[in-house]
Amino acid sequence: IVAPAPPPGPKEPKFVSNFVSTTKYTAVSFIPMNLFLQFHRFSNCYFLVIAILASIPSISPVGGLTFWFPLAIVITLTAIKDGMEDYRRYQSDVEENNRQTEVMNHQTGEFEAVPWKDVTVGSIVRVTTIEDGCSAMVPADLTLLATSAEDGSCFLETANLDGETNLKLRHAPEAVHKELTQVSVSSFDGARLATLVPAKMKQLSVSVICSLPDAMIYDFNARMVFKGKDIPLSGGSSGGQFLQRSTKLRNSRWCIGVVVYTGKDTKIQRNMSEPPNKVSAIERRLNSFILYVFCFQALLCIAGAIGASIWIALDTTKAAWYLGFPDGSSTTFNVGNPQLSGFFSFFSYLILLSLLIPISLYVSVEFVKVFIMVQISADREIYVEEDDMPSRARTSGLCEELGQVSYIF
């Protein structure tokens, strides 16, 4: 990696964009993927089969629309809920991708505000805690070059990375830090601080040789070539020169670094899996209960089919002239073939007894989950005033599981 990054050429290695996306669906895949996930539920598959059977006039005592309409309502409402949840993920992605950071223009040596998504491998980035409209978070995986401290140190908060709130120490390579900065005394509190030398920044040229991207959060084995000398670089939870994406600069005014990994190649993104189809314990239990009810229903249908076959085979039934045999025969009432009539009667009873499994059950549970999600998002007790960050329930899938949480570290 050469920094400042040269204009891309045909033979230059291709690096991924710093744009990230955590959404589950796209505009093209939403309908097929959402239907696929919804029909993982036993109840939806059950009512789909019932609706298909009810659409066969010869065995159905009711019209197929009786089942197609409520099934379509349930599928549509669930799809709308899933779509809204994924749209909130999209909004969070847009907010993160458009956060501002400072990237050096190597022609002028000045730092310019650019969105995170436009940061490229080899860019020289300045992260600052000064309120200048730019985020104090690291926009990509960086190799540290210099900091505002005289000794080239800075501190990172890695809560977004590993959940730990204690600060982690980082050290810039001594030779690079001394070359790019000069020490001055602050007129405010008399502290000795390092300031960047614009002429040195404009002439800066370094190369970083590092390993391919991996998911090991703190591992970083690389070397920097600066003025013809090799400088070893290392990672680690504390110390080293590696700054991970989404960590936050603390107790330091600024730091600058070279971007080594972007987007999906960053450590935090490598440790993220695709958004899963989350199934709560309540939903799994509902699936098992519905399966038990279906088994009971199947036993009733078998008993009804056997009884219908026996009754149709009786001589008294055949002698019932008022039933209009043989012209009055049907698929489920054929005195000439009582066994076949009993077989088809099974499906008729299955349609009639399908209401043993309420189609509105999952809809009611989904509405309860959405209500809990709204309550969590509106809870002022879990609002972080320092970062202006309210609680965000990004999915309603596991809201009811929060009752099992006893400790939060």
Side-chain angles (χ1 to χ4, degrees), residues 35-294:
L35 288 175
F36 175 77
L37 293 176
Q38 286 203 55
F39 281 103
H40 272 64
R41 289 177 173 172
F42 177 77
S43 64
N44 288 342
C45 294
Y46 169 79
F47 280 106
L48 178 63
V49 172
I50 294 297
I52 293 173
L53 292 175
S55 301
I56 304 174
S58 59
I59 63 172
S60 175
V62 296
L65 188 62
T66 308
F67 296 94
W68 283 114
F69 183 72
L71 179 62
I73 293 295
V74 170
I75 295 295
T76 302
L77 290 177
T78 306
I80 291 173
K81 178 192 73 73
D82 293 341
M84 292 176 63
E85 289 180 356
D86 209 54
Y87 181 70
R88 281 192 289 270
R89 293 191 194 100
Y90 168 75
Q91 288 179 315
S92 297
D93 292 341
V94 170
E95 180 182 346
E96 178 170 348
N97 288 318
N98 286 292
R99 284 191 185 125
Q100 298 291 305
T101 192
E102 294 181 331
V103 175
M104 191 186 79
N105 184 329
H106 64 278
Q107 295 179 343
T108 63
E110 300 292 329
F111 285 91
E112 301 173 349
V114 299
W116 280 22
K117 63 183 179 182
D118 293 338
V119 174
T120 58
V121 172
S123 298
I124 297 177
V125 174
R126 178 170 66 182
V127 182
T128 175
T129 56
I130 302 171
E131 294 294 337
D132 58 354
C134 293
S135 173
M137 297 178 70
V138 179
D141 288 353
L142 309 179
T143 293
L144 192 61
L145 295 178
T147 73
S148 60
E150 183 180 2
D151 61 352
S153 64
C154 68
F155 292 90
L156 293 180
E157 180 185 289
T158 61
N160 292 333
L161 197 66
D162 54 15
E164 297 183 8
T165 55
N166 55 311
L167 303 182
K168 307 295 195 306
L169 180 65
R170 298 289 188 269
H171 280 289
E174 183 178 359
V176 182
H177 176 73
K178 289 184 176 180
E179 177 70 21
L180 300 179
T181 61
Q182 61 183 10
V183 178
S184 60
V185 179
S186 172
S187 59
F188 177 71
D189 55 6
R192 292 173 60 84
L193 300 173
T195 57
L196 289 174
V197 181
K200 297 289 187 179
M201 289 298 302
K202 192 173 181 179
Q203 299 171 1
L204 175 64
S205 177
V206 297
S207 297
V208 179
I209 297 90
C210 57
S211 58
L212 292 174
D214 57 52
M216 306 301 291
I217 293 179
Y218 294 113
D219 284 2
F220 182 68
N221 297 311
R223 59 187 176 89
M224 179 185 296
V225 179
F226 179 68
K227 289 190 173 182
K229 296 181 179 179
D230 279 1
I231 301 174
L233 305 174
S234 62
S237 60
S238 187
Q241 296 77 37
F242 189 55
L243 281 63
Q244 296 90 339
R245 178 188 172 114
S246 295
T247 55
K248 186 176 289 187
L249 185 66
R250 294 290 192 188
N251 298 348
S252 306
R253 295 195 175 186
W254 55 264
C255 70
I256 63 170
V258 177
V259 177
V260 290
Y261 303 128
T262 53
K264 291 294 184 181
D265 286 345
T266 57
K267 299 291 187 179
I268 188 171
Q269 288 293 319
R270 285 272 171 169
N271 280 273
M272 285 186 178
S273 58
E274 293 296 322
N277 182 35
K278 297 178 181 178
V279 180
S280 65
I282 289 180
E283 191 168 334
R284 286 194 295 268
R285 187 169 296 180
L286 280 178
N287 283 334
S288 61
F289 287 162
I290 289 176
L291 186 59
Y292 298 150
V293 173
F294 173 74

